[in-house]
Amino acid sequence: MGDTIKNRTFDVIVIGSGMSGGWVAKEFCDKGFKTLVLERGRDVKHVKDYPTTTKMPWEFERRGKMPIEVTKANPVVSRCYAYGEATDHFFVKDNEHPYVQDKPFDWIRGYQVGGKSLLWARQTQRWSDFDFEGPARDGFAVDWPIRYKDIEPWYSYVEKFAGIAGDKDGIPNLPDGEFLPGFPLNCVEKYFKQIVEKNYNGRHVISGRCAHLSKPQPVHFEQGRVQCQNRTICERGCPFGGYFSANASTIPWALKTGKLTLRPDSVVESIIYDENKGRATGVRVIDRIQKTTVEYYAKVIFVNAGALNTNLILLNSKSARFPNGLGNENDLLGKYVAFHNYRVRVSAEYDGFKELTTDGRRPTSGYIPRFRNVYRQETDFLRGYAAGFGAYRSMETNTDGFGTSLKQKLLNPTAGPWKVGSHMMGETIPKITSVVALDKIKKDEWGMPLLKISMDYDDNDEKMIKDYTEQMTAMFERAGFTNIIATDSRQAPGLDIHEMGGVRMGNDPKTSLLNKWHQLHECNNVFVTDGACMTSTSTQNPSLTYMAFSARAADYAMQELKKGNL
Amino acid sequence: MQRRTAVKYLFVVAAGSAVLPSCLHKTDKASIVLKHLDINGQQEKLLAEIAETIIPSGSAPGARDTYAHLFVLRMVDDCYDQQNQKSFLAGLNSIDDIASQKFATSFIKCNSQQRNEIVNELETKKGSGEAVDFYTMMKTLTIQGYLSSKPVLGDIFKYELVPARYNGFFPVKTSIHQV
């Protein structure tokens, strides 16, 4: 087969193979569409390319730590909790892929097939109308063009396939989903749940819903995935497919249809816009290794490069019609980016349940859904925060002395006090001053302009931090917890790994980039269903929503293709 | 030179080096490859004995059995900054000075009571600054390496890579491990 244009033409091109791109690929392939997935990084095959997944702790010569030269040369990625000796190969190093920090921003990236879906924290909470109606009610950003009823069936659809463990909690602002059995709370978490729910109206402590197969169904076995084994070393890749990743689920599923062409090492330079046709016709790709350029063509293009890289590709897709980036007629592309405020943790100890501890491990922990400003504005800041909550009991060892007495203590540790911890997940308000843009001078190894990132905390975030600290402290006191300590990490935006926006959805082409079907208003065969499409951030971990968006938009695109509208 | 001749010489040289007894090497190297620390076999042995004094073997393995001293070297070489590496080395080298002052011999030639006496001084922070700094690093890393080693974490504490369960209401049990 020669390298003809025909061989480089597909029904759909998906840029990115991670959390959302994998879903788009699966949906199109399932319905028989010829699909090309472009991934800028290397291929990572399920199980085969998880080199550390069965390693024992003592098989890591530094027990997980990275050499000081590496951490010094890569301060950004080294701040990520999941980065270390066991996962080094799945993270982008700072110096390999530079970017410009107009303001401090820790950009955590995974350039490989599967992207960050290999590495995510796997928390999957649904949005509700209390989230979708936020901007309209509180007067920021623009109104979301969709509501919960639009996305509800798609949440169910992706949950059944991905496998979500959770309890039916009946909380209006955190809708229940299609759950496999939830992972249980432990004794201290259950106790705290009772205290909070008895003393506070509208506050709940639940088991965090997570993308783990607590009780796999036929559709999961069909994917080659089996029950989660509670290893909690998920970020190394799971040989059981116990948690959802593109590598374990959507990508191999799509490949099995025979409809998918997966091209790793493909850096997308830009999307090609045809002035005469008034539509995008394909993408220009730079081979990561050879540095050669090749073009691919399709009727429909999905951009799922990861929120900020999706902005980068669109900004770099310049034409006479769109000199400032594809679909960017209103000059809002790259603006109104936002993130989640993860700055504060509150920790404490509990004197009770001395006779109990935990056994085994658990891939999730407790979750406190947003309770601030849900039904009405009640504080001096907008929106609110969700919180993680967990209790654990460690074995403790006194390391005084040396010799046989020390050894006696080392080999016979005693159960320490119960420890509890919580961290905030605050909604931040997208602002016109929060921007990603192309650097005018600096370029990367592939000739792509570097992305210049400029976003920061604001007064609303500081007030929210104060409120979270006060409220969590009060709830801990109410439960009789002691040694309560609040810590503000002052971490830069980005380390939450929930960067969103820049290509926001909205009803009005003058004030938004995407319509309610995720199509660019000004170029309707280009869809964006990753974090870049987010109009506001709310408090939930966003991946589940990206998956649902992707499946819904792909379904719409296929219908339009069949009708000949695209 | 003809290629064949060169190859022949190569064999002769190789054979020669193979029969040289190892005692003729003036400074033998540490048994693991280090990037920054210049450690010879004697110093490695000294580290092993200090580790063993901190956690001696008995019915359960000691530090030396778990190669904790090699873990110490790996960590100091890879994860410590230059200043800490320097003071680690200086402190290590001062241990024999202490031994010779107190017992007119090297640490390795000290009997176990003498070794304990030296380590006890360091434990109670009586020695020189550099010796105490070294000891603090050495002890912390020895304990970490020991507790996370296969003989201890795997065989004694029965670490499970695949627990396949979670119980949040598990009774505290105390099992006594023999020292």
Side-chain angles (χ1 to χ4, degrees), chain A residues 240-252:
Chain A
F240 300 96
Y243 72 94
F244 173 87
S245 67
N247 310 66
S249 179
T250 47
I251 295 287

Side-chain angles (χ1 to χ4, degrees), chain A residues 311 314-315 324-326 328 330-335 436 502-503 513:
Chain A
N311 278 275
L314 292 174
L315 286 163
N324 298 320
L326 187 63
N328 188 17
N330 52 26
D331 210 24
L332 292 179
L333 179 60
K335 291 174 182 153
V436 296
V503 196
L513 278 302

Side-chain angles (χ1 to χ4, degrees), chain A residues 9-14 24-25 27-36 279-281 297-302 517 519 524-527 550-566:
Chain A
T9 301
F10 297 81
D11 294 322
V12 57
I13 294 172
V14 186
V24 175
E27 293 307 297
F28 275 96
C29 288
D30 263 347
K31 298 274 164 65
F33 288 88
K34 200 178 159 200
T35 305
L36 172 68
R279 50 188 279 140
T281 51
Y297 309 100
K299 297 179 195 113
V300 171
I301 294 158
F302 270 72
W517 298 110
Q519 297 167 286
N524 72 359
N525 68 331
V526 173
F527 293 72
S550 298
R552 175 176 173 269
D555 179 69
Y556 175 77
M558 288 186 279
Q559 287 179 35
E560 290 295 289
L561 276 169
K562 280 180 190 155
K563 287 181 200 158
N565 293 340
L566 284 175

Side-chain angles (χ1 to χ4, degrees), chain A residues 58 61-63 68-69 186-187 229-231 355-361 399 401-403 407-408 411-412, chain B residues 36 54 56 58 60-61 71 74 78 116 123 139 148 160-161 163-170 172 177 179:
Chain A
W58 51 86
E61 52 173 1
R62 291 178 302 273
R63 304 295 192 265
I68 195 166
E69 281 104 342
N186 64 40
C187 53
Q229 301 293 310
N230 303 47
R231 302 187 332 142
E355 71 290 359
L356 293 177
T357 184
T358 62
D359 177 52
R361 295 193 291 274
T399 58
F402 69 97
K407 192 181 177 191
Q408 172 77 34
L411 292 182
N412 294 289
Chain B
H36 306 285
I54 297 171
F71 172 72
R74 170 60 58 227
D78 280 358
N116 283 344
E123 177 75 27
K139 183 179 166 185
S148 58
E160 292 171 284
L161 192 66
R165 68 183 184 284
Y166 180 74
N167 182 348
F169 291 76
F170 191 74
V172 173
H177 294 122
V179 177

Side-chain angles (χ1 to χ4, degrees), chain A residues 99 146 272 308 324:
Chain A
Y99 59 98
I146 55 168
I272 304 160
L308 299 190
N324 298 320

Side-chain angles (χ1 to χ4, degrees), chain A residues 7-234:
Chain A
N7 292 334
R8 286 182 281 119
T9 301
F10 297 81
D11 294 322
V12 57
I13 294 172
V14 186
I15 304 171
S17 64
M19 190 64 79
S20 63
W23 265 100
V24 175
K26 172 196 166 288
E27 293 307 297
F28 275 96
C29 288
D30 263 347
K31 298 274 164 65
F33 288 88
K34 200 178 159 200
T35 305
L36 172 68
V37 169
L38 297 168
E39 165 53 52
R40 69 166 300 149
R42 68 190 171 97
D43 195 8
V44 170
K45 291 223 182 340
H46 184 46
V47 188
K48 180 178 155 285
D49 293 323
Y50 303 158
T52 58
T53 190
T54 56
K55 281 200 171 164
M56 290 293 197
W58 51 86
E59 291 180 83
F60 296 98
E61 52 173 1
R62 291 178 302 273
R63 304 295 192 265
K65 249 186 137 171
M66 292 304 292
I68 195 166
E69 281 104 342
V70 177
T71 52
K72 275 191 175 157
N74 300 281
V76 170
V77 70
S78 297
R79 282 193 282 271
C80 177
Y81 70 98
Y83 175 70
E85 197 180 359
T87 55
D88 181 39
H89 46 283
F90 289 150
F91 282 90
V92 163
K93 307 305 168 298
D94 302 14
N95 48 10
E96 290 169 352
H97 296 283
Y99 59 98
V100 180
Q101 299 184 51
D102 210 29
K103 289 176 180 162
F105 185 88
D106 288 341
W107 194 10
I108 308 299
R109 294 157 292 169
Y111 289 170
Q112 61 249 333
V113 167
K116 298 193 294 296
S117 77
L118 270 173
L119 304 165
W120 65 315
R122 311 164 314 280
Q123 288 284 308
T124 44
Q125 329 299 336
R126 286 187 180 199
W127 278 41
S128 74
D129 275 337
F130 293 99
D131 307 299
F132 286 113
E133 287 173 359
R137 189 192 82 179
D138 292 345
F140 66 96
V142 291
D143 190 14
W144 276 89
I146 55 168
R147 288 294 181 266
Y148 182 62
K149 66 173 165 38
D150 299 305
I151 197 72
E152 183 181 12
W154 295 101
Y155 271 137
S156 292
Y157 179 77
V158 296
E159 282 167 347
K160 282 183 205 158
F161 189 83
I164 307 295
D167 298 326
K168 300 241 182 211
D169 299 296
I171 300 166
N173 53 312
L174 201 79
D176 291 330
E178 309 289 335
F179 294 148
L180 307 173
F183 288 90
L185 297 177
N186 64 40
C187 53
V188 173
E189 292 162 350
K190 269 225 164 108
Y191 160 75
F192 186 61
K193 176 187 175 74
Q194 283 159 7
I195 294 290
V196 168
E197 291 174 3
K198 200 174 93 191
N199 289 286
Y200 295 90
N201 228 336
R203 298 193 190 184
H204 304 273
V205 181
I206 64 168
S207 173
R209 296 145 186 190
C210 62
H212 282 261
L213 299 182
S214 53
K215 192 180 176 197
Q217 302 300 304
V219 68
H220 306 124
F221 294 129
E222 211 182 322
Q223 295 167 42
R225 301 170 57 202
V226 296
Q227 185 163 345
C228 167
Q229 301 293 310
N230 303 47
R231 302 187 332 142
T232 65
I233 44 175
C234 313

